[in-house]
């Protein structure tokens, strides 16, 4: 590291190291094995660098291109090809938000750099913290203007997100902005917007405002009626506040004074949760390749003939290979509406009610199947239908109920090896009674 901001060219050794880590046998790996390689080997190599530097967008784009190729590459008759089956933003969501759990490099980089802000605002007993306070902030706090070295400016770019997820416990009040920091139940510029619009110094600290003898001199006058009402509330709040000689303490939305990059990473994602089926999926004991297959089914990303048609890929026939209805092979048809699929599901749940979507179908089946095994049975049922379908297309093997049952039994036997004794006994019972 030098005194000037490193260019993308200076960071290319990092990219080359990631490229060398990619195995030449990627095209022979299953999707589950490639996902494990991306998370455990390739992405982990970047953590140390992300703890120190703010990555430029161009570098993140190059690294994501490598990781995307690692995940989706496959071997074809024309050589190795990389056709992404799902949007990368979707893949990089946490598993409980509907993604595959691949780290989002931009957000992870910000979460790791925010630990420096934690040390800075809590005035950690570290030389660099003292140097920055004494050099740049003797008379104020970091606000809109970025000052300092390229390293510190990069860290300050994460300040708005840091303050969204932090809360201040006043001590001296020297590191707390009166209007913008969350030192009460809500930042004052949101709680008192009318009064805030009249403030002369919008970056005043809590300590400076508390020691001000005439609060009315801190505002443009005359105040509006609403602003005057808020002024009286603020005055009462400041008079009731007792500042001490202790340092201010910064805590976080997970109710802890200790900073955690992992928890911050989770909080930086939007709060919109995913369907409960995704949580059930990742809790199941199925093999990773089956979980990823089921995940792609939930998003309609499996390469059915209808999907290939939508991608403008020419095929002699786009109809379902498992029935003679001359119906285009869509996701809903091949896994739910096809006569072969109906016969398969009737072996498990005869005369069941139907839903209006894939999520409804799965949700209704979960309520009817044994709670401990519901997700595993559904996943292996889908996987078995897909395998029978592929046998028909690529091996000209006629689809049969017995072949479907053998695939399900094989998958359940693998799940049995990954389960505890009580659940393994239930799997044996399920196979004996149902399959």
């Amino acid at each position: 590291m030098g005194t000037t901001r490193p260019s993308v060219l200076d960071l290319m050794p990092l990219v080359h190291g990631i490229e060398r880590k990619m195995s030449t046998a990627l095209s022979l790996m299953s999707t589950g094995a490639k996902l494990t390689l991306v998370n455990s080997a390739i992405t982990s190599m970047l953590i140390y660098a992300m703890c120190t530097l703010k990555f430029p967008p161009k570098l993140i784009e190059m690294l994501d291109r490598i990781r995307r190729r690692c995940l989706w590459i496959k071997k074809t008759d024309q050589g190795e090809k990389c056709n992404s089956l799902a949007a990368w933003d979707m893949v990089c969501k946490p598993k409980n938000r509907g993604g595959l759990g691949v780290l989002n490099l931009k957000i992870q980089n910000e979460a790791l750099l925010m630990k420096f802000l934690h040390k800075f605002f809590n005035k950690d007993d570290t030389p660099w913290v003292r140097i920055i306070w004494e050099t740049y902030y003797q008379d104020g706090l970091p606000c809109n203007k970025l000052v300092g070295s390229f390293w510190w400016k990069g860290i300050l770019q994460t300040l708005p997100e840091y303050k969204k997820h932090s809360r201040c416990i006043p001590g001296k009040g020297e590191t707390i902005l009166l209007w913008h920091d969350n030192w009460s139940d809500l930042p004052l510029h949101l709680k008192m917007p009318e009064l805030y619009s009249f403030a002369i110094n919008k970056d005043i600290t809590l300590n400076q405002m508390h020691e001000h003898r005439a609060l009315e001199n801190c505002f443009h006058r005359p105040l509006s009626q609403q602003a005057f009402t808020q002024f009286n509330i603020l005055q009462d709040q400041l008079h009731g506040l007792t500042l001490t000689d202790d340092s201010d303490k910064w805590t976080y939305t997970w109710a802890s004074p200790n900073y955690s990059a992992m928890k911050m990473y989770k909080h930086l994602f939007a709060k919109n949760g995913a369907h409960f089926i995704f949580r059930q999926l990742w809790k199941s004991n199925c093999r990773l390749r089956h979980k990823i297959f089921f995940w792609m089914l939930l998003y309609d990303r499996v390469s059915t003939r209808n999907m290939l048609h939508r991608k403008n890929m020419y095929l002699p026939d786009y109809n379902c290979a498992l029935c003679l209805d001359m119906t285009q092979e869509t996701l809903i048809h091949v896994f739910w509406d096809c006569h072969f699929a109906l016969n398969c599901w009737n072996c498990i749940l005869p005369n069941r009610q139907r839903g209006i979507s894939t999520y409804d179908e799965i949700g209704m089946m979960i309520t009817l199947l044994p709670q401990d095994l519901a997700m595993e049975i559904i996943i292996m049922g889908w996987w078995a239908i897909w395998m029978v379908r592929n046998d028909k297309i690529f091996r000209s093997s006629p689809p049969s109920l017995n072949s479907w049952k053998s695939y399900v039994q094989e998958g359940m036997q693998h799940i049995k090896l990954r389960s505890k004794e009580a659940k393994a006994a239930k799997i044996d019972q399920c196979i004996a009674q149902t399959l």
Side-chain angles (χ1 to χ4, degrees):
M1 182 185 296
T3 57
T4 58
R5 185 187 304 275
S7 64
V8 175
L9 185 61
D10 295 329
L11 298 171
M12 283 305 292
L14 185 65
V15 178
H16 296 328
I18 298 298
E19 289 177 335
R20 286 194 297 270
K21 196 69 177 179
M22 290 180 62
S23 172
T24 55
L26 275 177
S27 59
L28 303 178
M29 293 182 181
S30 67
T31 308
K34 288 186 282 190
L35 177 62
T36 303
L37 179 65
V38 169
N39 284 332
S40 63
I42 295 178
T43 305
S44 61
M45 292 177 62
L46 305 170
I47 297 297
Y48 183 78
M50 288 194 294
C51 287
T52 309
L53 293 172
K54 183 170 176 60
F55 281 11
K58 184 65 176 178
L59 178 64
I60 294 177
E61 180 184 342
M62 295 169 67
L63 294 171
D64 280 344
R65 190 182 302 121
I66 295 173
R67 297 195 301 159
R68 187 164 54 245
R69 176 178 175 80
C70 178
L71 182 61
W72 298 120
I73 191 171
K74 63 180 181 179
K75 194 172 184 178
T76 65
D77 295 338
Q78 290 78 32
E80 293 184 344
K81 288 189 175 181
C82 177
N83 296 320
S84 298
L85 298 181
W88 191 244
D89 290 340
M90 186 190 305
V91 171
C92 289
K93 290 181 181 178
K95 291 180 178 179
N96 62 351
R97 303 287 171 84
L100 283 181
V102 175
L103 280 181
N104 184 306
L105 294 184
K106 180 178 181 297
I107 296 178
Q108 179 68 9
N109 188 205
E110 292 177 355
L112 290 169
L113 291 178
M114 285 181 191
K115 72 180 183 294
F116 294 110
L117 293 176
H118 168 77
K119 294 180 178 180
F120 174 78
F121 281 108
N122 285 283
K123 293 195 173 181
D124 191 60
D125 188 17
T126 308
W128 71 264
V129 173
R130 293 194 296 270
I131 291 173
I132 290 180
W133 274 110
E134 294 171 1
T135 305
Y136 303 114
Y137 303 112
Q138 290 185 354
D139 300 324
L141 289 174
C143 299
N144 297 326
K145 186 178 180 180
L146 302 182
V147 297
S149 65
F150 76 90
W151 173 79
W152 182 242
K153 288 179 180 178
I155 292 173
L156 286 180
Q157 290 175 10
T158 67
L159 184 59
E161 287 295 332
Y162 174 81
K163 291 196 172 182
K164 284 181 183 178
H165 301 279
S166 61
R167 186 179 183 277
C168 329
I169 300 177
K172 293 182 181 180
E174 294 177 341
T175 65
I176 301 173
L177 292 175
L178 173 76
W179 295 106
H180 299 285
D181 292 340
N182 185 13
W183 57 274
S184 59
D185 55 343
L186 194 70
L188 290 186
H189 78 281
L190 299 176
K191 189 177 181 180
M192 304 177 179
E194 288 79 12
L195 182 61
Y196 173 71
S197 65
F198 286 89
I200 296 176
N201 181 9
K202 291 180 169 55
D203 296 326
I204 191 171
T205 65
L206 179 60
N207 179 274
Q208 292 170 344
M209 193 69 164
H210 189 268
E211 294 181 351
H212 213 289
R213 295 182 178 180
L215 292 182
E216 61 273 10
N217 294 333
C218 297
F219 300 93
H220 297 287
R221 287 173 288 179
L223 298 176
S224 67
Q225 184 176 357
Q226 288 179 317
F228 182 71
T229 302
Q230 294 173 359
F231 173 79
N232 291 330
I233 296 174
L234 175 62
Q235 194 172 34
D236 293 340
Q237 188 174 0
L238 291 175
H239 286 165
L241 178 67
T242 302
L243 297 182
T244 66
D245 292 332
D246 298 330
S247 299
D248 302 323
K249 294 182 179 179
W250 288 68
T251 61
Y252 303 95
T253 50
W254 51 87
S256 172
N258 299 320
Y259 182 79
S260 168
M262 180 180 67
K263 291 181 179 178
M264 180 61 79
Y265 176 83
K266 294 178 180 178
H267 279 74
L268 287 175
F269 276 92
K271 293 296 182 183
N272 298 331
H275 199 279
F276 79 95
I277 291 175
F278 287 97
R279 294 192 296 273
Q280 297 287 338
L281 162 64
W282 298 112
K283 287 181 180 179
S284 68
N285 289 339
C286 294
R287 298 164 68 185
L288 185 56
R289 63 183 300 184
H290 297 151
K291 292 180 181 181
I292 296 175
F293 173 77
F294 189 79
W295 178 84
M296 290 194 294
L297 277 171
L298 292 175
Y299 282 117
D300 191 11
R301 294 297 186 271
V302 176
S303 296
T304 59
R305 291 181 171 183
N306 172 261
M307 172 62 74
L308 299 177
H309 183 53
R310 281 185 281 165
K311 292 182 177 179
N312 299 319
M313 185 177 293
Y314 172 76
L315 293 175
D317 185 12
Y318 295 101
N319 294 328
C320 177
L322 297 176
C323 67
L324 302 176
D325 291 346
M326 303 299 291
T327 304
Q328 193 173 72
E329 187 188 70
T330 62
L331 180 73
I332 292 293
H333 175 81
V334 72
F335 289 105
W336 297 115
D337 296 340
C338 175
H339 292 302
F340 177 78
L342 289 173
N343 291 334
C344 294
W345 294 122
N346 285 336
C347 292
I348 301 174
L349 291 173
N351 302 319
R352 63 184 177 87
Q353 293 183 346
R354 297 295 305 279
I356 60 175
S357 68
T358 298
Y359 293 92
D360 284 340
E361 296 271 12
I362 297 171
M364 295 172 69
M365 292 184 71
I366 288 175
T367 60
L368 298 174
L369 290 169
Q371 186 175 4
D372 294 345
L373 300 175
M375 212 57 210
E376 285 83 354
I377 293 173
I378 295 171
I379 292 173
M380 295 317 306
W382 278 28
W383 174 261
I385 291 174
W386 188 249
M387 295 304 295
V388 172
R389 177 257 189 196
N390 288 342
D391 288 343
K392 174 66 169 61
I393 294 176
F394 300 110
R395 298 182 179 87
S396 300
S397 300
S400 67
L401 203 57
N402 288 332
S403 60
W404 177 81
K405 288 182 178 181
S406 65
Y407 277 120
V408 176
Q409 290 176 0
E410 180 185 354
M412 296 302 290
Q413 289 295 340
H414 283 290
I415 294 172
K416 177 184 173 182
L417 298 174
R418 303 160 64 91
S419 306
K420 296 182 179 180
E421 291 184 6
K423 189 169 185 177
K426 292 182 180 179
I427 291 174
D428 288 333
Q429 184 181 358
C430 175
I431 292 175
Q433 294 178 355
T434 309
L435 303 173

